[in-house]
Amino acid sequence: MGTGMDRGLGMGTGTGVSGTVATVSSNGVYSFTKPNRDSVTLLAGLGVEGDVHAGVTVKHRSRVAKDPTVPNLRQVHLIHAELFDEVAGSGFEVAPGDLGENITTRGIDLLALPTGTRLRLGAEAVVEVTGLRNPCAQIDNYRHGLLKQVLGRDENGQIVRKAGIMSIVLTGGVVRPGDPIEVELPAEPHRPLETV
């Protein structure tokens, strides 16, 4: 997986099926990992039904401690399954849901998507990409040394965050493994993803 906006996104600039949902996960309690499910239901403006991070305002503990009234731009966390393939090459066995994501994708370079990209997941659900997940020390608590695999620097010394992207739910619906993902890029100029 590259990290620049100049490389291919695995799709055209229009709308079209460009990937699939590999796995869906949720957890009703605070835990680093999330168990895989047969399906999840996305709720407009909230997130994944029954997930501890669903809500109109921030739900991540560190963010709630700072200001619990901030809008929740991290309603749905997506990670590309290709990341698991990549870290496996360095000896780390990581499975879908292990890094706390709700939706594991395959076939889309999530990190290259611009801010505001819309992803149609299955027949109904639509999420809007808000930014990058900022990998934290909990990743090393889960697997010592894994943080270095998902947080590094490129050839120009810029920080590269690979632990997935965050989104908000625009249109609710049920999402299942095997569902197609349709990508709709926002109008140009495109803004690269920043941490949210």
Side-chain angles (χ1 to χ4, degrees):
M1 287 277 122
T3 56
M5 292 293 293
D6 56 339
R7 68 187 185 289
L9 299 174
M11 71 210 111
T13 55
T15 300
V17 174
S18 58
T20 57
V21 174
T23 312
V24 295
S25 310
S26 67
N27 202 337
V29 297
Y30 281 105
S31 172
F32 185 69
T33 62
K34 294 188 179 190
N36 299 155
R37 308 287 182 192
D38 293 332
S39 67
V40 292
T41 301
L42 302 190
L43 304 174
L46 295 173
V48 178
E49 182 177 46
D51 191 81
V52 70
H53 294 116
V56 174
T57 56
V58 291
K59 299 300 174 195
H60 286 76
R61 289 177 176 171
S62 62
R63 293 166 192 273
V64 169
K66 288 180 185 174
D67 184 352
T69 66
V70 172
N72 187 4
L73 300 179
R74 301 162 58 100
Q75 294 173 359
V76 180
H77 178 196
L78 299 95
I79 286 184
H80 47 294
E82 292 84 355
L83 175 65
F84 304 144
D85 302 338
E86 182 182 322
V87 300
S90 297
F92 292 92
E93 185 178 331
V94 181
D98 283 356
L99 296 183
E101 78 276 11
N102 300 112
I103 297 174
T104 310
T105 67
R106 188 160 291 277
I108 299 174
D109 188 347
L110 296 178
L111 304 178
L113 297 174
T115 302
T117 298
R118 292 183 178 190
L119 302 174
R120 178 176 294 278
L121 307 165
E124 298 176 331
V126 179
V127 299
E128 183 175 299
V129 178
T130 56
L132 294 168
R133 175 189 183 182
N134 193 21
C136 65
Q138 287 185 356
I139 292 175
D140 255 2
N141 294 339
Y142 173 70
R143 294 267 195 285
H144 183 69
L146 184 57
L147 183 60
K148 286 184 180 178
Q149 300 296 314
V150 299
L151 182 65
R153 293 193 180 272
D154 65 16
E155 61 278 358
N156 299 319
Q158 299 296 315
I159 293 177
V160 176
R161 295 171 177 88
K162 300 180 187 178
I165 62 172
M166 297 296 186
S167 64
I168 57 172
V169 182
L170 298 181
T171 306
V174 176
V175 181
R176 297 177 179 86
D179 279 349
I181 302 173
E182 187 177 302
V183 177
E184 181 183 339
L185 297 176
E188 294 190 19
H190 291 164
R191 292 180 298 127
L193 297 176
E194 298 179 1
T195 57
V196 292

